[in-house]
Amino acid sequence: MRDRSIKAVRSKNIARKLRMEGFKIIRKEPNIRFPEQDVYIFEATPELVIRLRELVEDRERWKKK
């Protein structure tokens, strides 16, 4: 069963931006698919979910340019 009280962020850049905006990283885990990379675990507050969605949408818009 999936824990909906946490959000896993695979992007180091997005995790850094969230941290700089005051969101706390609960823990860091190795990425199962890419062990040389990390996954950053955040508490899934409504504020974090909204901001994470905005950051992902911004990144997608940037990639399309």
Side-chain angles (χ1 to χ4, degrees):
M1 183 150 67
R2 193 172 233 180
D3 186 355
R4 297 199 183 274
S5 65
I6 62 169
K7 281 287 187 185
V9 176
R10 294 187 309 261
S11 167
K12 183 185 265 187
N13 289 332
I14 289 180
R16 182 180 52 80
K17 288 177 184 178
L18 290 170
R19 194 172 60 83
M20 289 176 66
E21 293 179 17
F23 297 101
K24 304 277 189 234
I25 296 174
I26 297 172
R27 66 183 180 273
K28 184 172 72 166
E29 300 175 351
N31 186 326
I32 294 171
R33 296 177 96 185
F34 304 101
E36 67 279 0
Q37 298 176 0
D38 293 318
V39 175
Y40 304 90
I41 308 299
F42 291 86
E43 182 179 354
T45 64
E47 296 84 7
L48 178 113
V49 172
I50 290 168
R51 186 62 183 131
L52 180 57
R53 186 178 312 128
E54 291 170 351
L55 289 170
V56 170
E57 288 172 358
D58 288 348
R59 186 175 73 173
E60 292 302 316
R61 274 195 296 267
W62 180 254
K63 283 184 176 181
K64 288 181 181 179
K65 288 184 177 183

